[in-house]
Amino acid sequence: MMGLPGSLSIALSLVGSIWLVGVVALLVGAPGELVAATFVVGLLAGFAEWRAGKVEH
């Protein structure tokens, strides 16, 4: 992720890893509510990480 600010790079990595867990859960037949919650939590955590990185600088 060359050229991206550090906070955004970390946020994208965090969201990607959480969403990967959601995709695996979907593939193994986890309930839809659990998978949707995983995507929402990933998005919120990534946004919070990105905002925290912007505040520090």
Side-chain angles (χ1 to χ4, degrees):
M1 292 187 235
M2 300 289 288
L4 293 176
S7 61
L8 184 57
S9 178
I10 293 169
L12 288 174
S13 298
L14 178 66
V15 170
S17 63
I18 292 174
W19 283 8
L20 182 62
V21 170
V23 169
V24 170
L26 185 64
L27 292 174
V28 298
E33 295 85 13
L34 178 64
V35 175
T38 302
F39 286 112
V40 170
V41 167
L43 186 63
L44 293 174
F47 182 73
E49 178 69 34
W50 177 56
R51 293 294 300 166
K54 286 182 76 170
V55 170
E56 291 176 6
H57 296 92

